[in-house]
């Protein structure tokens, strides 16, 4: 856990120095908790890497498309590929190696600075061994501008 915290601080420091439009956040999903790092979520197309830290360490790469882009709300759909650490809430002993997720969500940025946002997301997850389920969750995202 100390290594994850150290990596997070180093990443935040690097992002601050580079002055890039990069987002970081945390998503509390029904299947796992994810620390996220991605491109600017206000772009039409954006990407995100998600590090699963809830049960086992896992990685999910997601590309998204904002089909609604307003000043305070973005609605998106995406496609994600997950590696390791996928946990279906009914099968705690079943650890899948690869899975596909199709996240659909809304990012709300209610403050004037538009750096801090709150999201709600649902995603059907298709894993190996015919293990398909729907995960949902909420999160917080901060964009360095």
């Amino acid at each position: 856990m100390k290594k994850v915290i150290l990596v997070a601080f180093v990443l935040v420091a690097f992002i601050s120095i580079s002055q890039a439009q990069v987002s970081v956040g945390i998503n509390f999903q029904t299947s796992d908790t994810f620390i996220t790092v991605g491109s600017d979520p206000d772009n039409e197309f954006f990407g995100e890497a998600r590090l699963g830290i809830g049960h086992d360490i896992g990685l999910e790469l997601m590309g998204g498309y904002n089909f609604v882009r307003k000043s305070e709300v973005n609605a998106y759909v995406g496609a994600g590929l997950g590696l390791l650490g996928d946990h279906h809430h009914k099968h705690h002993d079943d650890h899948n190696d690869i899975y596909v997720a199709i996240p659909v969500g809304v990012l709300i940025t209610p403050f004037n600075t538009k750096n801090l946002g709150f999201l709600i997301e649902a995603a059907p997850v298709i894993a190996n061994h015919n293990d398909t389920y729907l995960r949902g969750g909420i999160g917080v995202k901060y964009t360095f501008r």
Side-chain angles (χ1 to χ4, degrees):
M1 187 64 169
K2 290 180 183 179
K3 289 180 183 180
V4 171
I5 293 171
L6 178 63
V7 169
F9 280 122
V10 170
L11 193 60
V12 168
F14 176 73
I15 291 167
S16 297
I17 292 169
S18 68
Q19 298 295 320
Q21 291 187 345
V22 174
S23 65
V24 295
I26 187 162
N27 293 1
F28 302 100
Q29 303 282 338
T30 55
S31 62
D32 216 343
T33 299
F34 292 99
I35 294 175
T36 65
V37 176
S39 61
D40 187 350
D42 287 336
N43 292 340
E44 184 176 9
F45 294 96
F46 64 96
E48 192 169 86
R50 299 173 173 191
L51 179 65
I53 59 171
H55 296 84
D56 289 333
I57 300 295
L59 178 65
E60 182 175 309
L61 302 175
M62 192 271 290
Y65 168 70
N66 281 316
F67 59 88
V68 173
R69 291 180 10 185
K70 306 243 179 186
S71 64
E72 294 182 350
V73 176
N74 288 342
Y76 63 89
V77 64
L81 177 63
L83 305 170
L84 305 172
D86 175 48
H87 293 273
H88 186 281
H89 60 278
K90 293 181 182 176
H91 300 103
H92 297 290
D93 296 330
D94 185 19
H95 301 272
N96 295 305
D97 293 332
I98 298 175
Y99 63 94
V100 174
I102 304 168
V104 177
V106 175
L107 175 66
I108 301 167
T109 53
F111 305 111
N112 289 337
T113 64
K114 302 297 177 214
N115 289 19
L116 182 64
F118 304 96
L119 64 94
I120 184 167
E121 181 180 285
V125 176
I126 303 152
N128 55 354
H129 307 305
N130 297 320
D131 190 18
T132 301
Y133 60 96
L134 180 67
R135 77 174 182 210
I138 58 173
V140 178
K141 188 176 297 251
Y142 186 85
T143 304
F144 294 90
R145 299 183 194 275

